[in-house]
Amino acid sequence: MLIRHMPLLLSKRIVLASASPRRFELFQRMGLKVEVIPSTFEETLDKLQYATPGDYAAETATHKAIEVSRRLIQLESQRNVDLIVGADTVVELDGMILEKPRDEKDAFRMLSLLSGRQHKVYTGVVILLPHATDPTLGQAPLLRSFYEETAVEFGNLDEATITAYIATGEPMDKAGSYGIQDAGASLVKSVNGCFYNVVGFPIHRFCLELESLIGSGMLRENNPAPTEL
């Protein structure tokens, strides 16, 4: 996996187009040095236009990475960026996509819906290589996108438990109004699939995709200047 490629990866400038402290921590756990440049992309895509919640999350992640890439071009600082990573996580229940709650009332609604039931967590990821040539388009950048799906089952939650959890403030910046890595772990009965996908970033799948790009030589390819998106 990526462990054997660390000398190469540590020589690269990697940008994480996300403000999520959880994703940043997961990159640190992988041993990767990343520069955080949060995307300003407004997540207003029409969910109904996508076949699955995973496709929606992957498209949102793509827009996040492209927005950061364009901003770096304008700042003339993309020239030495080797890799930009975008990600987006959503929760799906009965065909409804649950993102971050608008307020505490919305968080209560979401947690009540999830109580005693199984839902799915999708994280879409895009790897953008500003200087690598897309073999289909014949020009830079190269975009590799994917999503991972994990099934999560909640225990039965009474109103007092939901209210107490919301009072911690933890649900307010998380898809589905919970974080499995912190106090929200007590709400979860079982997980079927990648645990880190629920945290917000599918580490194993990302490593496979990045290893594939390294193996194909894409990450080593550098062009004299990035192409405007």
Side-chain angles (χ1 to χ4, degrees):
M1 297 294 288
L2 288 188
I3 295 174
R4 64 192 180 95
H5 298 294
M6 277 301 166
L8 169 66
L9 292 170
L10 291 176
S11 71
K12 301 297 183 181
R13 183 185 176 196
I14 302 174
V15 170
L16 177 60
S18 171
S20 168
R22 295 164 294 280
R23 293 190 183 116
F24 178 67
E25 181 183 353
L26 291 179
F27 270 82
Q28 289 183 311
R29 289 187 183 185
M30 286 187 279
L32 295 174
K33 295 187 299 182
V34 295
E35 177 182 346
V36 175
I37 303 180
S39 172
T40 60
F41 172 70
E42 294 185 12
E43 300 176 30
T44 56
L45 298 177
D46 184 358
K47 301 176 180 66
L48 298 178
Q49 299 300 311
Y50 299 92
T52 71
D55 292 320
Y56 165 75
E59 185 67 13
T60 300
T62 299
H63 280 278
K64 288 180 177 180
I66 289 175
E67 187 279 323
V68 169
S69 177
R70 285 175 173 166
R71 193 158 15 118
L72 288 173
I73 289 174
Q74 293 173 353
L75 295 172
E76 297 184 354
S77 61
Q78 181 174 270
R79 198 174 301 276
N80 63 339
V81 174
D82 301 288
L83 177 67
I84 300 173
V85 181
D88 186 63
T89 300
V90 298
V91 168
E92 182 269 330
L93 177 71
D94 295 338
M96 296 183 296
I97 294 178
L98 307 180
E99 298 185 271
K100 297 175 183 178
R102 296 184 297 274
D103 49 34
E104 292 186 355
K105 183 178 179 180
D106 196 33
F108 190 95
R109 177 187 68 85
M110 290 187 192
L111 292 167
S112 298
L113 288 172
L114 297 176
S115 175
R117 303 186 63 193
Q118 184 182 89
H119 61 273
K120 293 181 179 179
V121 178
Y122 295 86
T123 297
V125 177
V126 65
I127 301 172
L128 188 155
L129 304 182
H131 309 291
T133 301
D134 186 311
T136 302
L137 300 177
Q139 64 181 24
L142 174 68
L143 291 160
R144 175 76 62 87
S145 66
F146 62 91
Y147 68 83
E148 191 72 14
E149 173 187 333
T150 302
V152 179
E153 183 179 358
F154 266 25
N156 293 313
L157 311 178
D158 55 35
E159 290 188 8
T161 297
I162 295 175
T163 300
Y165 180 53
I166 292 173
T168 68
E170 186 178 295
M172 304 315 297
D173 67 338
K174 297 174 178 64
S177 301
Y178 76 95
I180 196 172
Q181 71 280 6
D182 295 312
S186 64
L187 314 179
V188 176
K189 183 177 180 180
S190 66
V191 177
N192 184 7
C194 175
F195 171 83
Y196 292 109
N197 187 53
V198 186
V199 177
F201 198 79
I203 292 178
H204 183 73
R205 177 68 183 277
F206 172 74
C207 290
L208 290 177
E209 297 289 344
L210 191 52
E211 186 175 45
S212 173
L213 289 170
I214 293 172
S216 67
M218 291 296 185
L219 191 54
R220 301 170 188 269
E221 181 181 346
N222 289 294
N223 294 327
T227 300
E228 177 68 71
L229 295 172

